[in-house]
Amino acid sequence: MYIYKVIKENLQNCEFGSYVAYGIAVCLKSTNIILISISDVFLEKERAKKLVELCNKNNLELIHLKEVVEDAVG
């Protein structure tokens, strides 16, 4: 079973300079080891938290994460 978490990132971009973004990490629930993460998904922490809550509530399978993220930002 997986658990989804928000990750805060301090990033640099040559066009925009420094900024804070939020990504999503997927961990094994039993060990808390990160299996995969998607960086720089949202600029707003609340949007990231809502998506993570939805993924956890619905026990999202890892194979669907990319689709779900694309739908959330699209």
Side-chain angles (χ1 to χ4, degrees), residues 16-59:
F16 302 113
S18 298
Y19 65 102
V20 174
Y22 298 90
I24 298 174
V26 185
C27 304
L28 277 177
K29 196 170 192 175
S30 59
T31 62
N32 215 27
I33 293 173
I34 295 175
L35 299 174
I36 190 171
S37 63
I38 301 177
S39 180
D40 202 3
V41 178
F42 297 108
L43 296 176
E44 302 87 13
K45 185 176 183 177
E46 286 304 311
R47 287 186 67 197
K49 284 175 60 175
K50 286 181 184 180
L51 182 60
V52 163
E53 288 170 5
L54 188 61
C55 292
N56 286 320
K57 178 182 174 185
N58 291 295
N59 296 316

